[in-house]
Amino acid sequence: NLGSSYTFATWWQTGLIGQQPVPCIAAAEATAMPSEAEVLAAVESLYNDGLKPYCHILRKRLVERAQDVQAALHGECGDMTIKDCDAGRLRALCEVSLHLHVEPAHWGEWSAVLLDRETNFVDIYNPIDYYSEEFWTAAEHYFKSLDNSSDLAGGRYASAKALAERRLPFLQGYSLGQICHITQLAISKHKLLGYYNGAVVPYDRSTSMLKCRCAQQLRPVVDPPAVNNRDG
């Protein structure tokens, strides 16, 4: 719904809140927050992608949807700087919703699942490789062809989303959740991708490969500056 999403996108810019504050949150501490309807729409979109709505992924999706609305309303000239919402207040909003159930997860995480919809999420950490040899040959060819100007953006979720948006032939028909799983396997099993400074890059340019080369040449490894990039 463009109208409700417009409210959310405007809140990000103005800091105004279009609904009553979440209980137990003082009005003086109020920051930009989505409405329950917008949270439900974001959760449902993650269901459609096969992704479990963990807090950090849900917050990313809320920002993405607000950015989409800003682009639709103002085009490329609009202000696309959308701030992330507060995780604690988002959890409080989800907990009082009659349509959501909040489930605790590892490492202080939590997820918000719909009460009226069956779950069919992709386990992106599943070590089982369901994909064919031909698939991985095509993936290897593509990843090795990437240069600095066409690298993937950010961590695993952002990289999978970038891959999905490129509409690559070997990824046709796969959900975003499946592409996240493929990205994870490309990192952990096939060594086609790796991490460098918190971002996913072709394995030849990853920190792991850099360490291997330094070890072979008996040179010390100089780690890149650390970047805080928590991704799903």
Side-chain angles (χ1 to χ4, degrees), residues 64-84:
E64 291 167 3
R65 291 171 66 85
Q67 289 174 334
D68 288 344
V69 172
Q70 287 294 86
L73 290 171
H74 304 294
E76 295 181 359
C77 297
D79 182 4
M80 298 300 290
T81 304
I82 307 294
K83 293 184 178 181
D84 202 354

Side-chain angles (χ1 to χ4, degrees), residues 42-99:
V43 169
E44 188 166 358
S45 73
L46 290 172
Y47 268 69
N48 294 339
D49 286 335
L51 289 168
K52 189 167 186 177
Y54 287 108
C55 171
H56 67 286
I57 297 293
L58 178 56
R59 292 165 71 194
K60 289 177 187 292
R61 182 55 55 90
L62 286 165
V63 170
E64 291 167 3
R65 291 171 66 85
Q67 289 174 334
D68 288 344
V69 172
Q70 287 294 86
L73 290 171
H74 304 294
E76 295 181 359
C77 297
D79 182 4
M80 298 300 290
T81 304
I82 307 294
K83 293 184 178 181
D84 202 354
C85 64
D86 179 75
R89 295 190 65 207
L90 179 61
R91 176 168 185 164
L93 191 157
C94 293
E95 287 177 335
V96 300
S97 173
L98 298 178
H99 305 283

Side-chain angles (χ1 to χ4, degrees), residues 1 12 22 25 39 43 47 49 61 74 76 98 101-102 119 129 132 150 154 173-174 202 216 224 230:
N1 184 300
W12 287 121
V22 175
I25 302 296
V39 172
V43 169
Y47 268 69
D49 286 335
R61 182 55 55 90
H74 304 294
E76 295 181 359
L98 298 178
H101 172 64
V102 173
T119 60
D129 187 345
S132 68
S150 58
Y174 290 108
Q216 291 170 354
R230 189 173 181 225

